[in-house]
Amino acid sequence: MSSTYDVLVIGAGINGLSTCYHLAGMGVSRIGLIEQFQLAHNRGSSHSHSRITRSAYVNAHYVRLMQLAHHQEWPRLEKDADTQLIFPTPGCFFGPPGSKYESYAKAVSEVGVDVEPLTPDEARKRFPQFRFENAAGVLHDRTAGLVAAARTIDALIRLARQNGVDIHEQTTVQSIHPEESSITVKTERGIFQTERLIVTAGAWIARLLPVVKPRVTVARQTVGYFKLAGNAETYQVGCFPVWGYFLKGEDIEYYGQPEFGCEGIKVARHITEGVDDDPDQVSDTPPPEAVEDLRNFLAAQFTAPVERFVHAERCLYTNTATEDFILDHHPDYEHITIGAGFSGHGFKFGPLTGRILASLSLNGQTDLPEFETARDLFRL
Ligand SMILES: Cc1cc2nc3c(=O)[nH]c(=O)nc-3n(C[C@H](O)[C@H](O)[C@H](O)COP(=O)(O)OP(=O)(O)OC[C@H]3O[C@@H](n4cnc5c(N)ncnc54)[C@H](O)[C@@H]3O)c2cc1C
């Protein structure tokens, strides 16, 4: 089998699918998409029911980019997919003195978004589910919400099919061969030719493009779902916040979401350093010590006791040392564009990242001053 494309995308996670969505919107006719597993699989980084979205971020660049995502890209996708993907619920971000709390508070006030700094006492009245012991302060993010992740992936797959994207599932890219004005992509099912290539291969990026290897590591995460005592209503979207807890000197260390799509509130640790896992080593069994760590965190930070552990799941982060994304061209081949290193916080940007990668591939730049002024942050 061989096919020829204007643009070929490798990887059907949130970033590859969002890129196909924008390429079609930008009028590209021959779009190809290659995915090694089945569409909507659970082996990478984009599966499961929910994700956090927020404006509260460590620096003003990300806060501004999130305004584009919240006000332009998610509404555009919800309209085209004719389904709700973002479910508003309060955001609550807190940590001890000396943690990244201060940087977040500074960044949101610099941009002037609807995020209110509260004292721990004020926050306990607003979020009685939390103890906020030893917190320097609490950011109440009124722009936050829960992203229906699985529903977003399904919607983007539906739009890709409607837009005539030529999708090749269960097809693994084995090698990439750039030439002057085209690229040959070899898979176990045949060869593909394309004028431009966009690689959003998640945890497998360094295998496909060794030039990225020095910048990324892979960390398998454990996500736990727990039932807390008390009125179940208080743990639902709209009432229970999406939240993030900073450790001293660190960025977000633990985070969680209300009950959505399955039983129990979601809680997880944000592991971005100290490991480099093999993405092909499937290990669906969550380590008991990881679940215990989450249970202990809940006991320490939440006012209601844990009633029951419901279940746990695994998922992959592709981390950069700074947790900044890589959104850039290949250093040697302008017609190869790379989206990688989303470091456990890329889903909320997905529809915007797709627009950025499609523009970089077609035009070498974007029409987004918020991205262009921050471009050095995202260089390979
Ligand atoms: C537990 C967890 C919680 C998270 N929580 C949040 C959150 O609350 N908010 C938020 O914004 N973000 C969150 N994230 C991060 C977010 O989910 C990721 O940044 C995002 O999903 C990355 O998407 P991706 O498309 O780059 O990667 P992936 O979804 O992994 O997609 C890459 C695809 O490329 C395919 N591929 C790789 N190699 C090949 C090959 N050789 N041939 C063909 N196909 C190939 C893979 O099979 C895969 O489908 C979380 C992530 C995890 C793991």
Side-chain angles (χ1 to χ4, degrees):
M1 168 186 42
S2 80
S3 310
T4 302
Y5 301 106
D6 301 323
V7 187
L8 180 59
V9 177
I10 300 177
I14 182 74
N15 292 309
L17 286 164
S18 297
T19 301
C20 290
Y21 166 64
H22 281 283
L23 287 169
M26 293 172 184
V28 177
S29 50
R30 298 178 306 161
I31 306 168
L33 173 63
I34 303 181
E35 168 52 52
Q36 64 183 337
F37 304 124
Q38 276 185 325
L39 293 179
H41 64 88
N42 67 356
R43 294 279 306 276
S45 306
S46 297
H47 58 278
S48 192
H49 300 286
S50 64
R51 296 287 191 276
I52 294 172
T53 190
R54 54 183 156 108
S55 291
Y57 250 94
V58 72
N59 67 52
H61 291 304
Y62 281 102
V63 178
R64 290 195 185 92
L65 287 168
M66 270 319 300
Q67 302 325 295
L68 281 177
H70 280 165
H71 302 312
Q72 291 185 22
E73 298 312 326
W74 281 106
R76 183 204 309 264
L77 180 55
E78 286 183 322
K79 182 168 163 293
D80 286 348
D82 190 24
T83 187
Q84 183 179 3
L85 300 173
I86 304 271
F87 292 78
T89 199
C92 166
F93 303 95
F94 61 105
S99 71
K100 283 283 170 49
Y101 173 80
E102 284 86 7
S103 325
Y104 276 59
K106 181 167 167 292
V108 289
S109 73
E110 190 181 321
V111 180
V113 285
D114 191 3
V115 178
E116 182 188 0
L118 303 172
T119 66
D121 284 347
E122 289 164 338
R124 284 187 201 105
K125 295 195 187 75
R126 229 173 265 186
F127 305 110
Q129 305 96 332
F130 295 78
R131 297 179 195 279
F132 299 127
E133 251 146 37
N134 184 28
V138 177
L139 292 173
H140 177 184
D141 185 342
R142 289 194 183 81
T143 75
L146 181 141
V147 186
R151 190 187 288 192
T152 301
I153 296 293
D154 292 347
L156 285 164
I157 291 169
R158 198 168 62 244
L159 289 166
R161 292 205 165 108
Q162 281 168 18
N163 293 332
V165 174
D166 193 13
I167 302 176
H168 301 272
E169 281 182 78
Q170 295 176 300
T171 303
T172 305
V173 172
Q174 294 164 329
S175 58
I176 295 169
H177 307 273
E179 287 108 32
E180 184 78 24
S181 58
S182 75
I183 302 138
T184 301
V185 171
K186 295 189 176 166
T187 75
E188 87 279 18
R189 293 177 187 277
I191 292 180
F192 299 85
Q193 292 290 340
T194 184
E195 283 173 28
R196 296 167 194 279
L197 181 67
I198 302 176
V199 187
T200 50
W204 291 264
I205 187 79
R207 298 235 173 115
L208 274 180
L209 294 173
V211 71
V212 181
K213 184 150 184 53
R215 291 288 317 279
V216 295
T217 56
V218 173
R220 187 164 277 108
Q221 312 287 317
T222 298
V223 175
Y225 293 84
F226 294 83
K227 286 294 270 186
L228 298 189
N231 170 0
E233 279 310 302
T234 60
Y235 300 112
Q236 304 308 311
V237 172
C239 178
F240 191 83
V242 291
W243 58 273
Y245 172 80
F246 311 109
L247 259 191
K248 198 164 179 52
E250 295 293 334
D251 204 313
I252 287 185
E253 189 70 15
Y254 291 88
Y255 62 91
Q257 282 134 106
E259 197 165 273
F260 185 85
C262 64
E263 204 189 355
I265 61 165
K266 177 176 174 173
V267 56
R269 191 163 191 156
H270 183 69
I271 300 168
T272 57
E273 55 195 9
V275 288
D276 194 5
D277 292 319
D278 174 352
D280 285 327
Q281 279 308 312
V282 180
S283 78
D284 290 336
T285 324
E289 63 279 6
V291 174
E292 223 29 53
D293 171 59
L294 299 176
R295 185 194 287 273
N296 297 339
F297 178 84
L298 289 171
Q301 290 292 338
F302 285 74
T303 48
V306 173
E307 230 176 43
R308 190 162 53 83
F309 164 62
V310 182
H311 84 280
E313 61 197 11
R314 316 290 317 269
C315 182
L316 297 172
Y317 281 13
T318 311
N319 296 310
T320 61
T322 59
E323 298 189 35
D324 292 312
F325 309 153
I326 297 169
L327 302 171
D328 202 358
H329 294 112
H330 188 290
D332 308 321
Y333 308 102
E334 276 284 308
H335 49 343
I336 298 181
T337 301
I338 301 167
F342 294 96
S343 306
H345 66 109
F347 205 101
K348 64 179 83 61
F349 290 95
L352 175 65
T353 302
R355 178 175 168 183
I356 291 169
L357 293 173
S359 306
L360 288 178
S361 178
L362 298 176
N363 315 319
Q365 61 181 36
T366 74
D367 56 356
L368 301 166
E370 295 86 346
F371 173 73
E372 294 301 327
T373 49
R375 211 152 158 192
D376 287 347
L377 214 54
F378 304 108
R379 297 232 183 260
L380 177 55

